[in-house]
Amino acid sequence: QLVEAGGGLVQPGGSLRLSCAASGFTFSNYEMNWVRQAPGKGLEWVSYISSSGSMIYYEDSVKGRFTISRDNAKNSLYLQMNSLRAEDTAVYYCAREYCANGVCYSDFWGQGTLVTVSS
Amino acid sequence: EIVLTQSPATLSLSPGERATLSCRASQSVGTHLAWYQQKPGQALRLLIYAASNRATGIPARFSGSGSGTDFTLTISSLEPEDFAVYYCQQRSNWPPLLTFGGGTKVEIK
């Protein structure tokens, strides 16, 4: 199970920290992603972190503002979001990446947490 | 950057009918393509991975095909619970960036 938390209403320029609690599997074995969906829109990848946390990537529009991290001892994934903009308003999902035989896909998703950036 | 284009944007069908959804990649992705189902208020559900492999627990009425740049998700006979939005997705080899198609909404006619 993946359960996101930490969403809410924040003013432009503000910060939020999202968390994703994992259970039912060995969290430390899996790469993870954050994916977002603006209201009425499609899915947009936000950030990736390797299973150990040593490799991290971001979508261009969030580079320098968002920070992904994980605590494998706590089975948790995080997304620190700073300098938030109206266009960051979205439901944020965490997703587990399953890789086998050179093929990777997001096999398990949380239900999402809504972030609203508005004054 | 690979762009995935899904068509049609909306598919209006009746229960029992066959649904054919398309996903076209701007360049070859081999068979590195997945399909997901999204229903309001629910977590996304993986349907198909590696273009044609059904995920665990996915009914046989769902099938995927294609390789390179053209992919298809087929629902052989629509059940009431299949009316939803469907997304295709690919992951680049390195860096491991995810790209999604714009989605196809399958609605009840």
Side-chain angles (χ1 to χ4, degrees):
Chain A
Q1 189 178 15
L2 294 172
V3 179
E4 301 94 338
L9 175 63
V10 62
Q11 293 188 339
S15 298
L16 275 179
R17 188 192 196 208
L18 306 184
S19 63
C20 171
S23 60
F25 64 96
T26 305
F27 179 70
S28 59
N29 287 349
Y30 291 87
E31 303 165 13
M32 298 292 295
N33 283 290
W34 285 101
V35 174
R36 67 185 177 183
Q37 186 172 35
K41 302 295 185 183
L43 299 165
E44 178 186 39
W45 171 75
V46 173
S47 185
Y48 160 95
I49 188 167
S50 63
S51 57
S52 66
S54 61
M55 287 179 286
I56 285 172
Y57 294 94
Y58 299 99
E59 191 269 327
D60 285 347
S61 70
V62 308
K63 280 180 186 175
R65 301 188 299 122
F66 289 12
T67 302
I68 191 172
S69 62
R70 65 190 297 161
D71 185 336
N72 286 341
K74 294 184 177 179
N75 295 327
S76 293
L77 175 72
Y78 305 100
L79 187 68
Q80 177 67 44
M81 304 187 295
N82 298 331
S83 303
L84 283 161
R85 307 167 180 167
E87 54 265 35
D88 296 318
T89 294
V91 175
Y92 285 73
Y93 300 96
C94 59
R96 184 179 85 169
E97 282 292 283
Y98 179 81
C99 297
N101 301 318
V103 177
C104 295
Y105 45 89
S106 308
D107 70 334
F108 202 56
W109 296 68
Q111 293 202 321
T113 186
L114 176 62
V115 173
T116 303
V117 184
S118 174
S119 54
Chain B
E1 178 187 339
I2 295 174
V3 176
L4 298 178
T5 303
Q6 289 187 242
S7 62
T10 304
L11 202 49
S12 298
L13 295 168
S14 302
E17 289 193 294
R18 182 184 188 90
T20 303
L21 288 67
S22 173
C23 177
R24 178 163 290 178
S26 59
Q27 58 186 276
S28 177
V29 298
T31 56
H32 291 216
L33 192 101
W35 290 93
Y36 300 86
Q37 179 190 66
Q38 185 178 41
K39 295 181 181 179
Q42 295 186 19
L44 270 82
R45 181 188 185 194
L46 172 69
L47 300 174
I48 301 288
Y49 65 93
S52 61
N53 296 274
R54 267 191 307 277
T56 302
I58 300 303
R61 64 180 181 274
F62 290 91
S63 63
S65 63
S67 64
T69 60
D70 290 301
F71 300 87
T72 300
L73 174 70
T74 302
I75 310 171
S76 59
S77 179
L78 283 164
E79 296 287 341
E81 62 267 27
D82 298 337
F83 292 92
V85 181
Y86 294 84
Y87 292 94
C88 59
Q89 177 220 53
Q90 73 89 29
R91 170 173 147 155
S92 55
N93 284 334
W94 208 259
L97 311 182
L98 304 183
T99 304
F100 294 91
T104 292
K105 181 179 181 179
V106 179
E107 65 176 23
I108 300 176
K109 187 174 181 180

